[in-house]
Amino acid sequence: MVNLKDRDFLALKDYTPEEILYLIDFAEELKAKKKVGVPVDKLRGKNVALIFEKTSTRTRCSFEVAAHDLGMGVTYLDPSGSQIGKKESIADTARVLSRMFDGIEYRGYGQEIVEELARYSSVPVWNGLTDEFHPTQMLADMLTIREHFGHLKGLKFTYMGDARFNMGNSLMITCAKLGLHFTACTCKEYFPSEELVNLSKQFAAESGGSVTLEEDPIKGTEGADIIYTDVWVSMGEPVSVWEERINALMPYQVNKKIMENAGEKAVFMHCLPAYHDLKTQVGRDVFDKFNISELEVTDEVFESDQSIVFDEAENRMHTIKAVMAATLGMNPDNE
């Protein structure tokens, strides 16, 4: 029996394949109960703090709805609502909040911040996103893939775009741990770090998966089961990087040609938000400056039957619920 009580959830490189699959299985059970209206509010009386140095729609809503479903109270601290790292040190923040709350979520900048929070906290700390890792998104992605294909091991997974940061890093590690064949398809300047690639290759050797770095978008997507991409410029990065990213990454845009190269069985995934049209301020600003109306994915692909992005978005909530429940002492036997 896997026991995750009191564990921090900071990066999936720290979790075994069995523990990752346990959380996915638990999320699947919790999702099934929610669909038929079975309550799982066994954590009544507990409270969690959500620290958001970077704002988010899906992550905030997922944590809040999941916490309420579990019977917990929630305190949301937006970028102006916390003194973490400004007037109060990270260590002091952790020690104060863990006297008041049963769990702490952090979404923000460097991985070292959430690691320090966890080091000084006496309650579980959950990583809602850092520059380096995005573990809650990984559970949602893997649950979504398994729902669609019925399994994970052996599937061919291609990530297109900037693979140097949280999404590329986390997907590579997770696929390697769970036996998928992962390809980072981008120009070499945007490959993940050599250190993380080598670590992931070790995980893949144990699971039967593989890790490949490929610059050719046709070779990298041929026969892929999953084509995945993310925005080319992340929150907090200066506008000045747009021109550099567009020039470097436009050959790796997910479009009809790429999906046809992967094949009819392939699905398209994106952690959102996505710049596939001109219905966002960012999209309009980029169009005004560069005369480009679609960025990392075309609207045709995003709105196609192969796109499972909204299943993926929903599963953020179910998998986050499983993480909180498991680390706060619930399991499928006592829910």
Side-chain angles (χ1 to χ4, degrees), residues 157-164 167-169 171-172 181-192 197 211-222 224 226-230 232 248-254 258 261-262 296:
F157 187 110
T158 297
Y159 179 80
M160 307 276 285
D162 191 344
R164 299 171 298 174
M167 287 305 299
N169 291 344
L171 286 166
M172 179 172 62
H181 299 291
F182 175 85
T183 298
C185 187
T186 186
C187 48
K188 61 183 178 182
E189 293 82 7
Y190 290 82
F191 285 152
V197 169
V211 172
T212 302
L213 306 181
E214 178 57 65
E215 291 190 75
D216 186 326
I218 297 303
K219 289 182 180 177
T221 58
E222 185 175 4
I226 303 104
I227 302 291
Y228 199 117
T229 193
D230 188 15
W232 291 343
L249 297 176
M250 189 55 74
Y252 304 98
Q253 180 191 67
V254 180
I258 290 296
N261 188 54
E296 72 276 7

Side-chain angles (χ1 to χ4, degrees), residues 7-16 19-20 111 115 133 173 177 203:
R7 282 277 297 277
D8 297 315
F9 189 74
L10 308 182
L12 288 186
K13 63 184 176 64
D14 304 322
Y15 273 63
T16 67
E19 290 168 338
I20 298 169
Q111 181 73 10
E115 299 278 356
F133 298 110
I173 286 172
K177 286 225 170 197
F203 294 147

Side-chain angles (χ1 to χ4, degrees), residues 45-59:
K46 292 188 181 294
N47 293 279
V48 296
L50 309 180
I51 303 173
F52 276 66
E53 291 197 293
K54 286 185 178 180
T55 57
S56 169
T57 300
R58 280 152 303 283
T59 303

Side-chain angles (χ1 to χ4, degrees), residues 107-157:
R107 177 184 172 92
Y109 296 94
Q111 181 73 10
E112 70 277 2
I113 299 174
V114 76
E115 299 278 356
E116 187 171 359
L117 271 173
R119 187 159 58 252
Y120 286 94
S121 172
S122 58
V123 300
V125 172
W126 308 302
N127 181 0
L129 172 141
T130 62
D131 292 341
E132 293 85 358
F133 298 110
H134 198 357
T136 59
Q137 181 69 51
M138 297 304 100
L139 295 181
D141 292 343
M142 294 302 126
L143 174 59
T144 307
I145 292 168
R146 195 173 72 176
E147 286 176 336
H148 187 85
F149 290 99
H151 65 101
L152 293 169
K153 190 177 285 286
L155 292 174
K156 295 180 66 176
F157 187 110

